[in-house]
Amino acid sequence: MENQGFWKRIREWPHARILPHICAAAYGLACFYLYYRQSMADLSAETILFQSDLPLHVSMVVEDGWMYSFTAIAYWILYRIFRGTLGIALLLALCSWGTVYAAEKLVVSLSGWKKGAGTLFLALSLNFVMPAYVPFIGEFRYVSYQSPNIWHNSTYICMRLAALLTLSMYFSLEKTYREGLTAKQWVGFALLNILTTGIKPSFLVAFSPIMGFCLLWDLLTDRKLPFRRILLFGSALLPSGLVILWQNSVLFGEETGNGIAFDPWYTFSLHANIPKLAAVCSALFCGLVILCTLKNVFAPGEKRYRFLIAMAVLGFLEALCLVEKGSRAVDGNFLWGYSFCLFALFTVTAVKALSLPKLFPAGREKAARVLRAVLFLVYGYHLYCGIYFFIRLLFGVSFWQ
C-alpha cells in the first residue's frame, strides 16, 4: 500500500506535466517552421520542396480575392499586417499547437480522468497517428490511405481545432440540456459551429445528422423531456446552415462548373493498390478496439462512444461515395470530414483501450492487459508512421511521397 501511494504521488505530481508541455511547444515550433517553408514553396520548380496547398490558398486570397472560407479572411488580414506569409504560418502553428490541448480536453471529456502528464502525452500522440503503412496495399503513406493527421492543407488544420472544441462543448451540453440551456451556452455552441463550418463545412455534414438522430431518439424515448428543450438545442446548428449555403454558392455555383456526384470507391481508388485494405489500414487500431469492446459499445452509459462511432461511419460513407464534378474531381475534398472523424475515433478508442481491464469480467483482467498491450503495439505502429512522415515533411519531402 505504501508503494502504491508513492507511485500515485509520482503520477499526480503537478510538475510531471512540464515534459509534455515542452514536447507540445517543440511540436508547435516544428509546425511553424514547416508551414513557413510551405508558404514560400515554389510550385513551378521541377522538384518541389515543402509542397502543400498553402501557396495556392494564399494566392487565391491575395491575388484573386477569392474569399472561400473564414481562413481566407484571416490570411488576407495577416498577409497585409506581416507583409508576407509569416503571420499565416504563425496562425497555423498556433492551431496545430492548440489542437494538442483541444485533444486533451476531448480525452478528459470521454474518459473522466483528471488532467495529468499521461493525458497530455496521449493527446500529443493523437496528433501524429497516421494509417498503418503497408507498401503493397498503398504505395504512398498519405494519399493512398485516409489519415486523421494532415499537415499540407491549411483549412483542415484550422477546422480540426475548432471541431474538437465544438465536439467537447456538445458532449458537455448534452449532459445538461434537459434542464435547459442558458443564452450563453446556446450562443457559444452556435458560434463554435459557425466558426467550424465557416472554415470548412466537412465537420458539420458528419456531425449534425448524428446529433439530430440523438435528439430524435431523446424525443421518442424520454417522455418527460420537453420538446422545446430538444428544439432549442438543435436550433443552435441552424446559423451554421446559413454558412453552408454561402460556401455552396462559392464552391458549387453555376458559374464554377462544379457539382457533386455519387461514385462509390472513386476517391479511395485513385492512389491505392488495394483500396478496401487501405481503408482498413487507415483505422486498423480503431477497428480492433471496437471489436474487442463490442459489448461495451451498446452498454447504457456509452452514448459518446456510440456517437463517435456513428459519426465515423457516416464520414466514411460520405468520403466513400461522394465526389466532386468538374475541375476538383480528383482532389478528394469529401475526405476532410472523414479525416476529422478518424481523429475523434482514434481518441475514443485509445481511451477505451487504456480502460480495457475495467471493461472485462472479473477474473479476466490479465487477459485484458495482454490484449491491451497488443492493441497498443498496433497503435505504436500508427504513431511511428505519423512521426516518420512528419519528419520527412520537415526535410522538405513532398506529402505525395
Side-chain angles (χ1 to χ4, degrees), residues 61 291 301:
V61 174
L291 287 174

Side-chain angles (χ1 to χ4, degrees), residues 286-322:
C286 304
L288 291 175
V289 173
I290 292 169
L291 287 174
C292 293
T293 59
L294 205 53
K295 288 184 179 179
N296 188 254
V297 171
F298 300 100
E302 296 294 345
K303 191 172 183 179
R304 297 180 182 187
Y305 195 15
R306 290 191 294 273
F307 186 98
L308 293 177
I309 292 173
M311 200 171 87
V313 170
L314 180 59
F316 171 77
L317 292 175
E318 290 171 351
L320 178 73
C321 298
L322 300 180

Side-chain angles (χ1 to χ4, degrees), residues 44 48 67 97 163 184 193 207-208 227 250 252 265 289 326 374:
S44 64
I48 303 174
M67 298 298 174
W97 174 73
K184 182 179 179 180
N193 275 283
F207 168 76
S208 59
F227 174 69
V250 174
F252 299 106
W265 290 105
V289 173
V374 172

Side-chain angles (χ1 to χ4, degrees), residues 380-394:
Y381 186 59
H382 281 287
L383 182 58
Y384 162 77
C385 291
I387 292 174
Y388 180 81
F389 182 80
F390 182 71
I391 291 173
R392 283 167 60 89
L393 291 181
L394 292 177

